[in-house]
Amino acid sequence: MRHRFLSAFRQAFFVGLFCGHFVGTGSTMLTTQQGQNMVSRVIPVDPFDLVIFGGTGDLARRKILPALFRRFCSGQVPSGAQIIGAARAGFSTDGYRDFVAQAIREFSGGRACEDGTLEGFLSCLDYVAIDASGDQGWGDLAARITNDRVRAFYFSVGPRLFGDLAERIHSYGMASAQSRIVVEKPFGHDLDSAIALNKTLAAHFDEGQIYRIDHYLGKETVQNLMAVRFGNMLFEPLWNSQYVDHIQITVAETVGVGGRGDYYDRAGAMRDMMQNHMMQLLCLIAMEPPAKFDPDSVRDEKLKVIRALDSVEPHHIARGQYLAQDGDEFAHPSYREAVGDDRSRTESYIALKTHVSNWRWAGTPFYLRTGKRLKARSSVINVMFKDAPHSIFGEEAGRHANLLSIRLQPNEGITLKVTIKEPGQGGMRLMDVPLDMSFAEALGPDGEDPPDAYERLIMDVIRGNQTLFMRGDEVEAAWAWTDPIIAGWQARGEVPKPYDSGSAGPGDADQLMARDKREWRGINP
Ligand SMILES: NC(=O)c1ccc[n+]([C@@H]2O[C@H](COP(=O)([O-])OP(=O)(O)OC[C@H]3O[C@@H](n4cnc5c(N)ncnc54)[C@H](OP(=O)(O)O)[C@@H]3O)[C@@H](O)[C@H]2O)c1
């Protein structure tokens, strides 16, 4: 009886609250498990040209091309669209189509086999052998570009080539009012390099043509965060330091640095995750309601948050490096072994406390942590509300503060913990129950998968919508906050503390919380 009562209670709440805000991309009517109808729409786009520089690289194979294929399957890539891979390797058109077919079979989650779909997609593909920093191939590429349509140039190459690409697109006459460039992370290594890169790109393209990708912003739940905050009356009045005790943002990975050791050891968790992904999540949680859901209104508000961030005190930072793990199945090297430097001082884990110094948030700490080789893969934002000011039930009934938990991965969804009476006899005893909404469950077995981040972001580029992309001044402001933190630990010669692989990170991170009489939420899959 207790079980039935609780599960009915949990089901009723969140589906009603969130499904109205689901923005899908198919043209079918979906029915949730609870029976609501949701219209999922493909927003049509005109035929376009998309050039993927680095079209043979890891990101293109794993993310960009499978994302385009899934959009093709959903009917959003119109007939006549042209996708051109470009890299130095010599491929014929057919050879590149075979290469892409293999990538799609490997990375597109089993959709490749539907009759004729893959062949249809491959027929949109072409390839040009090109050297980003020389003249080889550029005339050939320019000859294939179609006039009078959107042309997007995806820079999926190392950042040192971004300037060369921008310059050559321009000098070979491919930059038009309809041109857009998509720039992958990392966007700079520090404030100076970010300013220099912004200047280089600005010499050839307007800000409205530059799409700086942070794929976290393309995640369904991240956008739902805005729907939750600005589409409901329920939360917004409580969304401030009067009611929120603190906020925790966790991005935990189980993987190590893998084959990216060389890059990662020059970056570390602070540059690789904190300055971009975590900062963007913090902005969406903390920003004021924009006047409209349009690119500059949203980005203006995010920028104000970054500029209001307090500098971080050295004792409010915990840095760590993962240790090796033994065992047949799960054995892997330590961080230092993986990057090939047994004296490396780069962090694979960082936790810190900061404040947003404005009227809404003064006094509410934001705790952020991210790391590799942790106990579970989990990205979650926890908004911890304050205790009720007075318990009318007496202390023996127990007290439970509300918690709003926004899961970005895995199992995207939202949970609100509320206090209810424990069912049954025995007087007034209070307990926590989660009101739980997972997208997979809300949409039911017949639901269409929401598009992944790259699908959404690439189609936003084609549609010319910059809302989910970072503006140049945002990136610079984020570096301006990050640089002194890094300079501080470098000046003090700090060495990250070792932590066990498969743990929750170094003990220093727990002490950071314990000093404030708080605890991290568990890192759960
Ligand atoms: N992989 C990821 O998961 C990931 C995630 C986030 C961001 N990123 C960013 O995305 C970008 C690409 O990463 P990736 O992992 O795909 O790198 P990658 O596997 O090393 O691929 C690099 C690509 O660039 C091409 N390339 C290199 N030099 C070139 C030149 N001079 N002219 C033309 N093409 C050239 C390479 O092909 P050729 O050698 O044949 O020219 C290859 O196609 C990087 O900026 C990276 O930081 C990657």
Side-chain angles (χ1 to χ4, degrees), residues 54 56-59 62 87-89 130-132 156-157 161 184-186:
T56 58
D58 177 68
L59 185 69
R62 285 192 306 109
R88 288 169 305 180
I130 209 164
D131 183 358
S156 181
V157 294
L161 296 175
E184 263 298 337
K185 80 167 210 188

Side-chain angles (χ1 to χ4, degrees), residues 219-483:
K219 287 179 183 291
E220 188 68 29
T221 321
V222 172
Q223 290 168 81
N224 242 321
L225 188 54
M226 286 189 270
V228 169
R229 285 198 56 198
F230 305 130
N232 296 289
M233 268 309 282
L234 191 58
F235 296 111
E236 195 51 28
L238 307 178
W239 211 259
N240 55 55
S241 58
Q242 192 181 346
Y243 297 102
V244 176
D245 179 70
H246 72 281
I247 288 170
Q248 299 185 13
I249 304 179
T250 299
V251 176
E253 299 179 281
T254 50
V255 293
V257 295
R260 297 168 69 221
D262 190 35
Y263 154 75
Y264 194 92
D265 203 43
R266 280 178 279 119
M270 187 71 184
R271 289 189 173 97
D272 189 51
M273 297 296 292
M274 191 68 78
Q275 182 272 346
N276 39 61
H277 305 317
M278 313 244 346
M279 175 75 74
Q280 289 295 321
L281 298 179
L282 188 155
C283 285
L284 295 176
I285 283 282
M287 73 188 200
E288 296 300 316
K292 284 185 273 178
F293 190 56
D294 68 25
D296 277 332
S297 304
V298 171
R299 297 185 300 176
D300 286 347
E301 296 305 335
K302 288 197 294 167
L303 179 62
K304 286 183 207 162
V305 173
I306 302 173
R307 289 187 173 157
L309 281 178
D310 276 1
S311 52
V312 181
E313 301 290 328
H315 61 285
H316 291 159
I317 303 172
R319 296 167 69 228
Q321 267 180 354
Y322 62 80
L323 294 168
Q325 183 158 311
D326 298 329
D328 293 344
E329 206 183 332
F330 301 110
H332 61 74
S334 68
Y335 175 81
R336 288 182 170 188
E337 287 162 343
V339 302
D341 177 358
D342 60 9
R343 296 159 64 105
S344 169
R345 292 185 170 191
T346 305
E347 74 288 350
S348 61
Y349 176 101
I350 184 163
L352 58 82
K353 174 170 96 161
T354 187
H355 283 91
V356 180
S357 283
N358 61 17
W359 276 41
R360 184 187 285 266
W361 291 117
T364 297
F366 286 71
Y367 299 93
L368 282 64
R369 65 177 163 167
T370 181
K372 291 191 173 295
R373 291 270 184 233
L374 296 179
K375 61 192 295 192
R377 173 174 171 261
S378 166
S379 299
V380 60
I381 301 169
N382 287 307
V383 181
M384 317 286 294
F385 289 90
K386 290 185 174 171
D387 278 340
H390 164 71
S391 173
I392 64 167
F393 308 109
E395 291 306 322
E396 61 281 6
R399 275 193 197 217
H400 303 269
N402 298 121
L403 158 68
L404 182 68
S405 206
I406 300 145
R407 295 184 304 278
L408 310 179
Q409 66 185 20
N411 186 18
E412 294 188 39
I414 299 177
T415 301
L416 176 65
K417 282 213 169 148
V418 295
T419 302
I420 62 165
K421 175 188 171 297
E422 219 179 287
Q425 302 294 322
M428 179 61 85
R429 292 188 313 274
L430 302 181
M431 65 182 291
D432 266 350
V433 287
L435 302 178
D436 208 353
M437 196 279 298
S438 98
F439 283 115
E441 281 175 27
L443 296 179
D446 301 326
E448 181 181 294
D449 288 341
D452 90 1
Y454 276 91
E455 288 179 63
R456 173 175 292 110
L457 294 174
I458 293 170
M459 295 322 288
D460 277 357
V461 173
I462 303 299
R463 290 166 48 219
N465 185 346
Q466 289 186 305
T467 309
L468 300 176
F469 296 83
M470 293 177 296
R471 212 167 51 192
D473 50 5
E474 262 184 270
V475 178
E476 289 179 14
W479 280 120
W481 178 79
T482 309
D483 277 3

